[in-house]
Each structure stands twice: as C-alpha cells, then as structure tokens.
Amino acid sequence: MVRGVAILFVIALCAPPLWAGSLSLSRQEQLAHLITQDCGSCHGLNLTGGLGRAITPEALKGRTVEGLQTIVLDGIPGTAMPSWRPLLSETEAKWIAAYLLEVNE
Ligand code: HEC
C-alpha cells in the first residue's frame, strides 16, 4: 500500500500525462478545461485561490496524487469543496491530481 503510493508519486512527478494513458487525449483536454472552468470558479482562474485556497503546485507541495485524488472524489465535508464522484471516474480524478501537482512547473 505505502509502496504503491510511493510508486504512484514517483510516476506522477516524472510523467503525469503518461500514467493516465487510459484516458483519451480529448478526455484529457476536457478535464483540463474542467480544471480551469469548474475548479477555477472557486479556486481562481489561475488556481491561486478564491473562495477555495490556492491549488498551485507550490501550494500543494508535499501532497500526494492519491491524497488529492481523494479530495477531488469526496470533497471536504463541512466546506464548500464539493465531491466530484458523480462526475468523474477514479482515473479522471487521479489525472486531475497529477495535473495540479505539475501545472505551471
Ligand atoms: C464550490 C467551490 C469549489 C469548487 C467548484 C471546487 N473547490 Fe476545491 N475547495 C473549495 C474550498 C472552499 C476548499 C477549502 C476547504 C477547506 O477550508 O479546507 C477546497 C479545497 C480543495 C483542495 C484542498 C487544498 C488543500 O490545500 O488541502 C483541493 C486539492 C481542491 N479543492 C481541488 C479542487 C479541484 C481539483 C476542483 C475541480 C474538480 C475543485 N477543487 C472545485 C471549494 C471548491
């Protein structure tokens, strides 16, 4: 389990787009659009914070793909951060988590 997380983390650091190979290119484009439009509506268009806090790579330093995937899928109860489970598969949430950790780098 811990090893799996570590491996995912290393892969995410090295090549986020590659390890989400099961997602089509057009779906990846849709997800990138969703991150800007939907996540951006709360976290700011540049993800530097708004209603929700900044989710730039700097702000998320030290976080794991798996940890962020869980936040995206389940939201943060008691806050405005919604659960995206109805809209996104686990693979898609993982892709978004990897995207967040890498974007702007
Ligand atoms: C309706 C507003 C809203 C939307 C839409 C939204 N978020 Fe959030 N998000 C929040 C808020 C508010 C928080 C901070 C909750 C808290 O205070 O802990 C948060 C927290 C987070 C965190 C945790 C940040 C940290 O430092 O722990 C991540 C990661 C995140 N959001 C990612 C996303 C992603 C990815 C999307 C789009 C799929 C998204 N959010 C869409 C409101 C939103």
Side-chain angles (χ1 to χ4, degrees):
M1 180 60 187
V2 171
R3 198 159 155 223
V5 172
I7 290 170
L8 276 183
F9 190 55
V10 168
I11 294 172
L13 283 180
C14 300
L18 275 187
W19 81 267
S22 56
L23 294 179
S24 71
L25 214 59
S26 67
R27 184 57 181 158
Q28 291 183 46
E29 276 166 17
Q30 283 172 1
L31 292 178
H33 186 74
L34 177 137
I35 290 168
T36 311
Q37 298 302 315
D38 295 65
C39 313
S41 69
C42 283
H43 291 278
L45 271 186
N46 296 318
L47 307 181
T48 48
L51 169 66
R53 45 177 97 140
I55 50 172
T56 55
E58 299 77 48
L60 297 173
K61 220 179 200 114
R63 311 295 285 273
T64 62
V65 166
E66 200 160 84
L68 296 182
Q69 176 197 22
T70 301
I71 291 175
V72 172
L73 285 174
D74 297 331
I76 303 178
T79 76
M81 175 62 188
S83 162
W84 293 84
R85 210 176 270 284
L87 294 176
L88 300 171
S89 72
E90 301 216 335
T91 304
E92 289 167 348
K94 227 174 220 180
W95 186 91
I96 289 175
Y99 182 102
L100 291 179
L101 290 172
E102 189 222 27
V103 80
N104 294 337
E105 263 181 8

